[in-house]
């Protein structure tokens, strides 16, 4: 592959783009005391948020007062499906707009979280403009709040997703992406960020355990599948290590990996989330492996985190080419029905800061 092509990764034209930004307002005693009661606080704050958002061309806005974690995916129909720990938003940015308050009766949230879902057709190219609209929202709503010195946390989430086996399904057209760093893209479009921005770039891979994979990898008369999972992990680690991808994880316990910048691996996991922490300063951290050896997982989930050496002005195209090479090597030994199984790859770009 030529040097110029290494700077780009060529993904299916069916690739989906998503962006959403969350702003967390701490719900302190002092903040709550400015309202008649908890329900009034939620209603009046959400009404104010919608008004300020509309002025700043933000048309899909949700106020979450349940402390549940937003998860956003593309869908041609709009849904919001709650679980015990998540709010799963499914929507098409080109068509769907909404204002909605999400609460649990009688529950006092730790923070009021405003979730802005990007709208339009050019999500990635307009990401800086979307972020600047949220910044204007924050600047306008702050003096209207009962507490003037609140410290808010802003999280900007962007990802692109596609089926690794798209060509096997007849989707052969591709488009080249450089996948530039978020802060570099924003600077070029005059969207200013604070100096203390934390950034994280990584890939998640979801491989459904269909009948053919189950028969090949996990079928056993034993009630302990640890050896089977270890065999999968060894193949994955070997394939990624050969491509200098050293920050990797495998999760096979029916939990969703939640990736964080951290100096510690042992973060607090929950019933739905498996915390996966990577120290950005570690040269070659040990692979992170989590599975339930008493059962067969519905999906094998893998994480590959970009290191400092993968970051450059041109973007993460070379990193993604390495990821795809590793996945081709990893999957070639498995009996996968590529015409019917979707192995979804998501390239995540996150940044966060306090304001």
């Amino acid at each position: 592959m030529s040097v110029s092509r290494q700077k780009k990764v060529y993904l299916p034209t069916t690739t989906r783009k998503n962006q959403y930004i969350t702003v967390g307002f701490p719900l302190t005693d002092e903040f709550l005391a400015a309202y008649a009661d908890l329900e009034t606080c939620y209603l009046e704050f959400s009404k104010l948020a919608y008004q300020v958002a509309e002025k700043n061309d933000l048309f899909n806005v949700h106020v979450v007062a349940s402390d549940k974690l937003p998860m956003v995916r593309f869908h041609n129909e709009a849904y919001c499906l709650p679980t015990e720990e998540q709010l799963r938003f499914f929507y098409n940015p080109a068509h769907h707009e909404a204002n909605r308050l999400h609460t649990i009766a009688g529950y006092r949230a730790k923070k009021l979280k405003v979730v802005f879902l990007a709208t339009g057709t050019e999500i990635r190219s307009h990401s800086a403009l979307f972020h600047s609209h949220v910044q204007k929202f924050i600047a306008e709503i702050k003096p209207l709040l009962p507490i003037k010195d609140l410290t808010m946390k802003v999280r900007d989430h962007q990802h692109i997703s596609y089926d690794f086996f798209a060509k096997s399904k007849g989707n052969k057209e591709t488009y080249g992406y450089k996948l530039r760093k978020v802060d570099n893209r924003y600077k070029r479009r005059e969207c200013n960020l604070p100096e203390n921005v934390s950034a994280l770039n990584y890939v998640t891979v979801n491989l459904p355990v269909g009948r053919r994979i189950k028969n090949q990898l996990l079928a056993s008369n034993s009630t302990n599948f640890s050896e089977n999972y270890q065999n999968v992990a060894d193949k994955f680690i070997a394939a990624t290590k050969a491509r200098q991808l050293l920050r990797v994880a495998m999760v096979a316990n029916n939990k969703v990996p939640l990736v964080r910048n951290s100096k510690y691996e042992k973060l607090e996991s929950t019933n739905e989330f498996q915390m996966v922490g990577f120290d950005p300063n570690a040269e070659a951290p040990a692979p992170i492996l989590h599975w339930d050896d008493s059962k067969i997982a519905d999906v094998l989930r893998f994480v590959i985190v970009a290191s400092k050496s993968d970051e450059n002005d041109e973007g993460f195209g070379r990193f993604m080419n390495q990821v795809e090479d590793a996945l081709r090597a990893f999957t070639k030994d498995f009996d996968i029905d590529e015409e019917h199984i979707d192995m979804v790859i998501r390239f995540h770009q996150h940044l966060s800061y306090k304001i």
Side-chain angles (χ1 to χ4, degrees), residues 240-287:
T240 51
K241 187 175 182 180
R243 279 81 182 173
Q244 293 78 50
L245 302 169
L246 304 179
R247 292 166 171 79
V248 300
M250 170 179 162
V251 176
N253 54 13
N254 290 331
K255 296 184 181 183
V256 177
L258 203 58
V259 183
R260 291 289 184 263
N261 265 325
S262 177
K263 294 183 179 180
Y264 311 100
E265 178 206 336
K266 293 184 178 180
L267 304 173
E268 184 177 353
S269 296
T270 67
N271 291 333
E272 297 183 15
F273 293 109
Q274 180 66 60
M275 302 300 291
V276 178
F278 288 89
D279 180 356
N281 298 317
E283 291 295 329

Side-chain angles (χ1 to χ4, degrees), residues 333-346:
D333 294 330
F334 300 149
D335 183 19
I336 300 176
D337 184 2
E338 297 184 5
E339 293 184 9
H340 299 96
I341 292 292
D342 289 352
M343 188 169 83
V344 177
I345 298 178
R346 285 188 178 86

Side-chain angles (χ1 to χ4, degrees), residues 3-210:
V3 174
S4 61
R5 283 182 62 85
Q6 286 181 351
K7 295 178 181 179
K8 289 185 178 181
V9 59
Y10 288 83
L11 305 182
T13 53
T14 52
T15 295
R16 304 295 193 187
K17 295 97 173 174
N18 284 99
Q19 182 182 13
Y20 64 102
I21 299 174
T22 66
V23 182
F25 298 79
L27 185 55
T28 63
D29 291 341
E30 187 180 4
F31 190 104
L32 185 57
Y35 301 91
D37 52 38
L38 185 64
E39 183 178 358
T40 302
C41 172
Y42 292 163
L43 290 174
E44 292 191 6
F45 175 83
S46 61
K47 182 179 179 180
L48 176 63
Y50 303 147
Q51 290 173 345
V52 177
E54 178 109 10
K55 289 173 55 181
N56 289 283
D57 297 327
L58 299 164
F59 303 120
N60 202 328
V61 181
H62 299 255
V63 175
V64 179
S66 61
D67 292 328
K68 295 186 179 185
L69 187 69
M71 302 288 283
V72 179
R73 298 290 183 262
F74 179 93
H75 202 283
N76 283 320
E77 297 185 59
Y79 297 98
C80 180
L81 304 178
T83 70
E84 286 295 319
E85 302 175 19
Q86 304 173 54
L87 279 177
R88 297 175 176 172
F89 294 97
F90 298 87
Y91 83 115
N92 184 335
H95 303 299
H96 297 141
E97 299 176 356
N99 286 334
R100 185 175 172 185
L101 171 63
H102 304 265
T103 64
I104 300 173
Y107 177 79
R108 175 178 169 176
K110 297 177 183 176
K111 64 179 66 175
L112 297 170
K113 182 176 291 185
V114 184
V115 182
F116 304 91
L117 306 183
T119 56
T121 57
E122 302 295 332
I123 299 300
R124 193 164 180 88
S125 60
H126 291 168
S127 60
L129 180 62
F130 178 53
H131 193 100
S132 66
H133 285 171
V134 173
Q135 289 179 323
K136 291 177 182 176
F137 166 90
I138 295 171
E140 290 186 24
I141 200 172
K142 281 186 76 171
L144 304 177
L145 297 176
I147 307 300
K148 308 304 181 188
D149 58 348
L150 283 179
T151 298
M152 291 164 282
K153 184 70 172 286
V154 180
R155 296 181 182 272
D156 188 326
H157 305 258
Q158 300 176 40
H159 61 259
I160 60 174
S161 58
Y162 62 98
D163 175 18
F164 187 64
F165 302 131
K167 289 185 179 179
S168 299
K169 300 177 179 67
N171 301 316
K172 300 185 185 299
E173 293 186 32
T174 62
Y175 181 83
Y177 293 84
K178 286 188 176 181
L179 302 178
R180 290 188 176 91
K181 291 173 58 179
V182 174
D183 52 354
N184 285 352
R185 282 191 277 134
Y186 283 11
K187 287 177 183 177
R188 287 170 179 158
R189 290 168 173 79
E190 298 182 347
C191 175
N192 297 319
L193 298 174
E195 294 183 2
N196 59 335
V197 171
S198 174
L200 186 62
N201 302 273
Y202 63 94
V203 170
T204 59
V205 184
N206 293 347
L207 177 60
V209 182

